[in-house]
Amino acid sequence: MPDTLTIVVVEEDRERAIAIVDALKASGSYDVHVIGNVSSLARKIAALVPDVVLIDIDNPTRDMLEELTLASGPLERPVAMFVSGAAGDLASTAIEAGLSAYVVDGMQPDRLKPVLDAAIARFQIVRQMRRELAETKRALEERKVIDRAKGLLMKARGIEEEEAYALLRKAAMDQGRRVADVAEALVTASGLLS
């Protein structure tokens, strides 16, 4: 996160918006923008390119929650939603949608900074987990392709697994490519020739 965070506050009530902005300015150095009308929310948020989005809604509906979470880009940035009262199972729906924080009893100025910090920390943890999961999936897919390529070489040349891998590795080094890329090319070529 940058030194000075750009924060978008989605708040339709002007008085509450002013109180929120004042609380944020008192707790740190933030570039705060207020969106008072939720129509075209996605476009408005995208235009501001915020680091964090804070949404204050009295009683959200499931449709409103989905619209707001899609509009605020919870996978791109921390998003905290403040609601006035418990709204059934909307908390779990909000977290599943990617919100970093879902706070009941509304946005209280004295709780704003700790909630903001927690939302940012949670977002960073989840983003790191998503990155690691994607890397693991990619590595697993590459491993499968390498195993298929080794199997093709073993069958075509009548060699053992270690020799097949050595051939793949040598071809990769000779071509200045990764073993997974050479294996992918071999599997693709084999599919075309079959």
Side-chain angles (χ1 to χ4, degrees):
M1 291 280 159
D3 291 339
T4 301
L5 293 177
T6 299
I7 299 174
V8 165
V9 175
V10 179
E11 172 58 71
E12 293 181 311
D13 182 89
R14 181 171 163 57
E15 310 297 314
R16 287 183 54 77
I18 291 169
I20 293 165
V21 170
D22 290 345
L24 285 169
K25 300 248 177 179
S27 65
S29 175
Y30 303 116
D31 181 18
V32 183
H33 302 272
V34 176
I35 297 176
N37 183 344
V38 295
S39 67
S40 303
L41 188 60
R43 183 180 50 76
K44 291 174 184 174
I45 289 174
L48 295 170
V49 193
D51 299 306
V52 181
V53 177
L54 302 177
I55 302 169
D56 188 27
I57 296 178
D58 283 332
N59 295 305
T61 63
R62 185 175 303 281
D63 291 340
M64 182 185 295
L65 177 66
E66 288 175 12
E67 180 183 337
L68 288 172
T69 54
L70 289 173
S72 56
L75 299 180
E76 301 168 17
R77 65 188 58 85
V79 177
M81 180 176 281
F82 298 83
V83 298
S84 293
D89 64 341
L90 283 184
S92 61
T93 303
I95 298 302
E96 288 171 12
L99 289 178
S100 302
Y102 184 86
V103 182
V104 178
D105 288 336
M107 193 180 300
Q108 306 298 323
D110 59 328
R111 294 187 335 190
L112 202 49
K113 176 74 169 123
V115 169
L116 179 66
D117 292 343
I120 291 169
R122 182 177 187 279
F123 172 79
Q124 290 173 336
I125 290 168
V126 170
R127 182 174 54 187
Q128 178 64 27
M129 287 171 39
R130 278 195 316 263
R131 187 178 304 129
E132 289 171 5
L133 178 60
E135 289 172 9
T136 301
K137 284 180 177 179
R138 182 190 47 77
L140 181 59
E141 289 303 315
E142 287 179 355
R143 184 80 245 152
K144 287 179 185 178
V145 170
I146 291 170
D147 286 345
R148 285 184 62 204
K150 286 191 303 187
L152 291 169
L153 288 172
M154 291 165 57
K155 183 178 178 182
R157 294 202 173 188
I159 57 177
E160 295 294 317
E161 185 177 357
E162 296 80 25
E163 288 178 85
Y165 186 73
L167 277 172
L168 285 172
R169 196 173 72 229
K170 181 175 182 335
M173 288 185 348
D174 291 347
Q175 297 173 23
R177 297 170 64 193
R178 298 177 330 121
V179 172
D181 295 337
V182 171
E184 179 71 37
L186 178 62
V187 169
T188 301
S190 172
L192 291 173
L193 296 173
S194 319

